[in-house]
Amino acid sequence: MSFPDASLPRRRRRLLFVLGTALALAPFLKYASYAAAQAPAPADRDAVLNIIPRPWNTEFHPGRFVFSRDTVVVLEDHWTETAPVAAYLAENLVWGSGGGLKIGETRSLPGGAAGAAIRLSLRAKKPDLGAEGYILKVLPGEIRLEANAAAGLFYGVQTLRQALRIEHDGTLALPCLTVTDRPRFGWRGMLLDCGRHFMSKEFVKRYIDLLAVHKMNRFHWHLTEDQGWRIEIKKYPLLTEIGAWRTDDAGNRYGGFYTQDDIREVVAYARSRFVTVVPEIEMPGHSVAALAAYPELSCTGGPFDVPTLWGVYKDVYCAGNDRTFAFLEDVLSEVIGLFPGPYIHIGGDEAPKDRWNACPKCQARMRAEGLKDESELQSYFIRRIERFLSSEGRILIGWDEILEGGLAPNAVVQSWRSFDGALAAARSGHDAVVSPVSHAYFDYDLSRTDLRRVYAFEPVPPGLTIEESRHILGGECNMWTEYAPQETIDGKMFPRILAMAEVLWSRAGDRDFQDFRSRLRAHRPRLEALGVRVGEEARPLSIATSFQAESDRLTAAVQSREPGLEIRYTFDGTQPTLRSPVYREPVEITGSCRLKAAAFLEGRPYGRVEEREFVGHRGRGGRVALSPSFSSRYPAAGLSSLADGVRGAPDHLDGAWQGFEGTDVEITVDLGQVLHVRRLSCGFLQHASVAVTIPDQVEFFVSTDGRTFRHAGTAWPRVPRKTADRLIRDVSVDLESVKARHVRVRARNAGPCPAGHPLAGIKTWIFADEVVVD
């Protein structure tokens, strides 16, 4: 970059240097403008602003402010702090053919004409605004944006951007108004799990941008997991040479990590958006990737592979080994050097005590420290780490399990299992961040956590006094990625994160879900302009099946969880539209098809499209006998389920799968008459992380009398066992046309979960959905 001319006055040189520094970062700061995504302005100038999150107070006035090539951003004071905000505004307000904002110290730029101004000032002198509040005043001749601190200006810029309108004549304008706004909570965050699935650096920066646009200010970066260590630690290079990579049983290597230069870049980028990055380094559990690199830090000494399956592993850091704490302090020292924020998250959740219970070093530690059980040993572990972090000027934050056995003196609790952790922390004088599984886990399906439920989230648990409630710092939405690689994140986060943003920013008494939904509809074009692939907001429909074996009649009923929806459906697997048949009553299924049902609200698609696959075959309606019987936990629709034509989805809880625990299974179907059979198959599911596996071997038999069965073929399904993917396999044999009234499938259980599995030694399950006879 070039420096200002020394002949300019010192004050002017200083301003231009600051501006030059900020503008030199333009590629670094730049993000796509979404001004063009605004709908034309309505004739009513007092139309409600479609701002998310909703501002605390908005007053409309007559008139409008129109942008032109002469519009300038004026820094009235505190140039060092306001210049980066001005640069961000200029970079994100571009219209027409190169039209955009200029930045200056006064209303006139050297060599330019005077024009309407956007004035930025940090002299609001309004204590109630805090550090993140702002006042935005739009007048016909100027815009004034005032705050106590630069963060407030930045959030005012986000409101300004969302309030923009493209008029019918193509001009860019704002209605005249006054917005007075501030956040309800100081902690407005999102967790992104980059341990289970690695996310690129650019993707992480993109999400920091999206947080900032919606006035969220904490990026909780989950950097270590059983399945991957994602942060470079110079002193321990094996953490990324070994711990960052996992290999499945097909030899596929997966992983990645962030260099320390990557980390610095992300942290600086976040700081420019007023987002604090909170790193999470998991301990004592969720640490198998680290133990694979340094097995001497475990209780058993290993060896370990970086796991490929999801779950809670029994191997954790050894709490009786001083080398463990030396290692962790070394790691945290490097982490502290990379992340300037006050908080370091150490996890602390889901740490099984099995290894500690059997470990001589851990038991010796318990005796030496006077600890009565392994829960107190975990408390000792956390307290020791907390003392180290405190000595380095940092605050420990951990999941609510850190309450067990006694809480470290200055620790912050992140309450996830329920609101109880936040209650206990606040009542004991500790700060808490609230992100309960009931409202804030965005990896969960919409049937469990939809937009309406997120919007109903109240971070302050009932039962706290006013003083205790001050310990609730705010909340977070959590994006765990067991089943969410990078390309799926948008659809899970959006639009639910918008509800979370409003819950954490806006006044609780102003919440109105229908109003929010209306603003969301107007906000979607902005998201699309930012490249966001917005997912659905609800799962309002479900498909229930009913099969009458005696009459071989199969029907499907589409059920709605919400009133007032129009339902349309197709049988050919295509997406239903407004031209598709309207659903009015259960439909009969006569052959193979894929039923899809969609809801429409006010003429627009609403929510997730539901679907169910059906198969027509000669065995449908046959009488089924099982040996042994199915588990009462997974009965599907009873004995007829394996010959009713209903196929299962890749979810063992979907109601179509019948489960058999820890045993081989024999399925016999009486077809009712002797038929010519050319092919036999049976559908099986694998979800290895929860001990559901496809059988090792499947044998098929036929009989004409039900007493003597002839072997018809054997299949050996070759499926990967070290994959966390959910697999459905139709295991089959082809026959030369044979006569049969009875067919039998004998499936061999794969045996207990092997060593290295999170459920090692546990019985595995066979899940079957249909015996198909062709």
Side-chain angles (χ1 to χ4, degrees):
M1 60 176 282
S2 59
F3 288 86
D5 190 319
S7 64
L8 291 172
R10 183 167 179 251
R11 182 182 179 197
R12 177 67 57 80
R13 292 204 312 271
R14 180 187 175 207
L15 172 62
L16 291 178
F17 179 82
V18 171
L19 287 173
T21 302
L23 290 171
L25 297 175
F28 185 68
L29 290 169
K30 189 172 184 179
Y31 200 59
S33 169
Y34 58 10
Q38 307 306 309
D44 179 8
R45 300 308 311 171
D46 292 345
V48 174
L49 293 179
N50 293 306
I51 305 287
I52 297 177
R54 180 176 178 170
W56 280 53
N57 187 66
T58 303
E59 297 177 15
F60 290 93
H61 312 297
R64 62 176 182 162
F65 177 96
V66 178
F67 290 82
S68 73
R69 292 183 182 277
D70 297 325
T71 302
V72 295
V73 181
V74 177
L75 311 185
E76 295 202 332
D77 49 68
H78 298 81
W79 303 315
T80 301
E81 293 91 340
T82 58
V85 178
Y88 176 93
L89 174 59
E91 288 295 319
N92 285 276
L93 275 188
V94 179
W95 65 93
S97 178
L101 297 173
K102 303 175 181 66
I103 303 175
E105 178 188 358
T106 65
R107 290 189 56 177
S108 296
L109 291 174
I118 303 174
R119 299 183 176 277
L120 306 185
S121 173
L122 293 183
R123 292 177 178 169
K125 297 180 180 179
K126 300 284 187 181
D128 289 349
L129 294 179
E132 295 182 301
Y134 63 91
I135 299 173
L136 173 64
K137 295 180 180 179
V138 180
L139 304 172
E142 69 175 12
I143 298 171
R144 295 195 62 85
L145 183 53
E146 300 177 346
N148 296 325
L153 291 181
F154 184 81
Y155 295 132
V157 165
Q158 304 310 328
T159 295
L160 185 154
R161 293 176 68 199
Q162 288 195 39
L164 288 170
R165 296 290 183 269
I166 294 181
E167 305 287 340
H168 293 292
D169 60 3
T171 58
L172 192 65
L174 282 171
C176 289
L177 51 77
T178 301
V179 176
T180 304
D181 198 13
R182 63 183 177 86
R184 182 182 175 204
F185 293 102
W187 190 296
R188 306 178 302 280
M190 168 197 170
L191 174 146
L192 183 62
D193 171 13
C194 296
R196 295 180 175 93
H197 276 100
F198 181 70
M199 311 286 160
S200 72
K201 177 182 65 178
E202 293 306 318
F203 183 82
V204 170
K205 289 167 66 176
R206 174 176 175 265
Y207 258 84
I208 288 169
D209 271 310
L210 292 171
L211 290 177
V213 164
H214 298 102
K215 303 185 177 77
M216 299 183 79
N217 66 352
R218 295 289 187 275
F219 178 67
H220 179 167
W221 203 357
H222 190 78
L223 286 165
T224 71
E225 252 308 330
D226 289 316
Q227 294 82 10
W229 183 282
R230 305 298 180 209
I231 176 172
E232 178 189 23
I233 301 296
K234 301 286 190 181
K235 190 168 184 176
Y236 297 99
L238 296 183
L239 288 171
T240 47
E241 291 177 19
I242 294 174
W245 307 93
R246 59 182 184 254
T247 304
D248 65 21
D249 46 11
N252 300 310
R253 191 168 182 251
Y254 175 87
F257 65 94
Y258 307 100
T259 67
Q260 293 199 358
D261 284 342
D262 291 335
I263 299 287
R264 292 186 187 97
E265 180 180 337
V266 169
V267 169
Y269 192 82
R271 189 186 303 119
S272 76
R273 266 87 172 129
F274 299 90
V275 173
T276 299
V277 181
V278 180
E280 181 175 357
I281 309 297
E282 279 271 20
M283 61 186 80
H286 290 285
S287 53
V288 178
L291 299 180
Y294 297 96
E296 65 272 19
L297 303 177
S298 71
C299 291
T300 66
F304 306 98
D305 293 324
V306 178
T308 60
L309 300 179
W310 319 127
V312 178
Y313 287 81
K314 295 179 180 178
D315 289 291
V316 300
Y317 289 120
C318 179
N321 186 350
D322 282 334
R323 290 184 64 186
T324 295
F325 294 98
F327 165 82
L328 291 173
E329 289 179 9
D330 288 340
V331 167
L332 291 173
S333 292
E334 294 194 34
V335 169
I336 288 168
L338 295 169
F339 295 92
Y343 297 97
I344 303 292
H345 205 300
I346 55 83
D349 61 312
E350 297 177 328
K353 309 302 188 292
D354 304 65
R355 299 292 185 252
W356 289 356
N357 186 54
C359 174
K361 290 182 180 179
C362 289
Q363 294 303 307
R365 175 82 72 192
M366 289 171 61
R367 292 191 294 271
E369 298 292 336
L371 308 174
K372 66 181 181 181
D373 57 25
E374 285 73 18
S375 291
E376 289 195 357
L377 180 59
Q378 173 155 342
S379 178
Y380 164 84
F381 191 112
I382 301 300
R383 286 171 182 267
R384 186 161 172 175
I385 295 298
E386 195 267 345
R387 284 197 300 272
F388 170 74
L389 289 175
S390 291
S391 73
E392 298 292 324
R394 301 306 172 89
I395 300 170
L396 179 148
I397 181 170
W399 301 106
D400 55 45
E401 286 94 332
I402 68 173
L403 286 159
E404 298 167 5
L407 190 58
N410 299 311
V412 175
V413 174
Q414 185 161 4
S415 188
W416 74 275
R417 290 178 292 184
S418 67
F419 290 87
D420 292 346
L423 276 167
R427 285 172 174 169
S428 63
H430 286 261
D431 290 342
V433 175
V434 190
S435 57
V437 69
S438 58
H439 295 79
Y441 273 47
F442 289 3
D443 55 317
Y444 279 13
D445 186 79
L446 289 168
S447 61
R448 181 167 179 177
T449 309
D450 63 11
L451 186 71
R452 185 187 296 270
R453 184 165 184 80
V454 177
Y455 197 74
F457 172 45
E458 172 48 53
V460 179
L464 293 180
T465 66
I466 294 176
E467 185 62 32
E468 290 169 342
S469 68
R470 293 192 177 100
H471 287 290
I472 304 301
L473 300 180
E476 228 175 65
C477 50
N478 298 335
M479 187 63 247
W480 301 106
T481 62
E482 287 96 330
Y483 305 102
Q486 179 172 300
E487 63 272 13
T488 68
I489 299 298
D490 277 9
K492 291 178 175 292
M493 291 302 298
F494 287 88
R496 289 185 286 189
I497 193 173
L498 305 179
M500 182 64 72
E502 184 148 315
V503 164
L504 298 175
W505 179 279
S506 305
R507 192 163 36 211
D510 289 342
R511 277 196 234 168
D512 181 326
F513 183 68
Q514 294 306 322
D515 172 70
F516 171 74
R517 180 185 273 172
S518 175
R519 285 181 282 119
L520 172 60
R521 187 179 303 145
H523 193 59
R524 281 179 179 267
R526 300 175 189 139
L527 296 173
E528 292 166 1
L530 294 173
V532 176
R533 295 181 294 276
V534 182
E536 304 298 343
E537 64 179 79
R539 194 173 177 181
L541 306 180
S542 62
I543 298 176
T545 60
S546 175
F547 182 64
Q548 298 173 353
E550 59 277 7
S551 61
D552 188 24
R553 186 170 188 268
L554 175 62
T555 58
V558 183
Q559 300 169 337
S560 174
R561 299 182 178 93
E562 299 184 28
L565 300 179
E566 182 180 67
I567 303 171
R568 293 179 180 268
Y569 67 96
T570 61
F571 279 128
D572 60 2
T574 60
Q575 293 292 98
T577 69
L578 287 172
R579 296 183 178 181
S580 303
V582 176
Y583 175 84
R584 292 187 172 87
E585 59 185 2
V587 293
E588 185 170 356
I589 308 297
T590 57
S592 296
C593 67
R594 182 177 293 274
L595 171 64
K596 287 192 173 185
F600 292 84
L601 181 64
E602 298 176 355
R604 297 182 178 90
Y606 170 68
R608 176 171 152 179
V609 175
E610 294 296 327
E611 61 183 274
R612 175 67 76 181
E613 183 180 355
F614 302 95
V615 58
H617 61 96
R618 305 185 77 186
R620 198 181 87 170
R623 190 169 67 252
V624 178
L626 298 172
S627 178
S629 185
F630 50 80
S631 166
S632 60
R633 293 167 59 189
Y634 304 103
L639 274 177
S640 66
S641 288
L642 297 180
D644 63 0
V646 181
R647 301 311 308 264
D651 178 2
H652 69 288
L653 301 175
D654 86 331
W657 295 100
Q658 221 159 52
F660 305 85
E661 183 182 17
T663 182
D664 300 344
V665 61
E666 189 173 271
I667 308 164
T668 304
V669 181
D670 181 351
L671 305 177
Q673 60 181 315
V674 175
L675 301 173
H676 288 278
V677 177
R678 294 180 174 82
R679 193 169 191 268
L680 294 174
S681 67
C682 187
F684 296 100
L685 173 69
Q686 179 164 296
H687 186 183
S689 294
V690 294
V692 175
T693 59
I694 289 173
D696 278 346
Q697 173 184 288
V698 181
E699 296 179 280
F700 296 88
F701 303 86
V702 294
S703 172
T704 56
D705 60 9
R707 295 184 298 274
T708 303
F709 282 81
R710 180 165 63 88
H711 183 260
T714 302
W716 292 270
R718 290 179 172 83
V719 294
R721 298 299 190 190
K722 291 173 64 177
T723 178
D725 295 337
R726 300 173 185 180
L727 307 174
I728 295 176
R729 289 289 171 85
D730 285 337
V731 181
S732 62
V733 294
D734 291 316
L735 314 173
E736 294 183 3
S737 183
V738 299
K739 292 182 177 181
R741 171 172 173 166
H742 304 267
V743 298
R744 177 170 290 169
V745 180
R746 186 178 295 155
R748 187 172 70 190
N749 184 274
C753 294
H757 192 287
L759 301 174
I762 298 296
K763 295 177 182 179
T764 58
W765 290 75
I766 291 175
F767 272 69
D769 70 339
E770 188 80 3
V771 176
V772 179
V773 181
D774 292 315

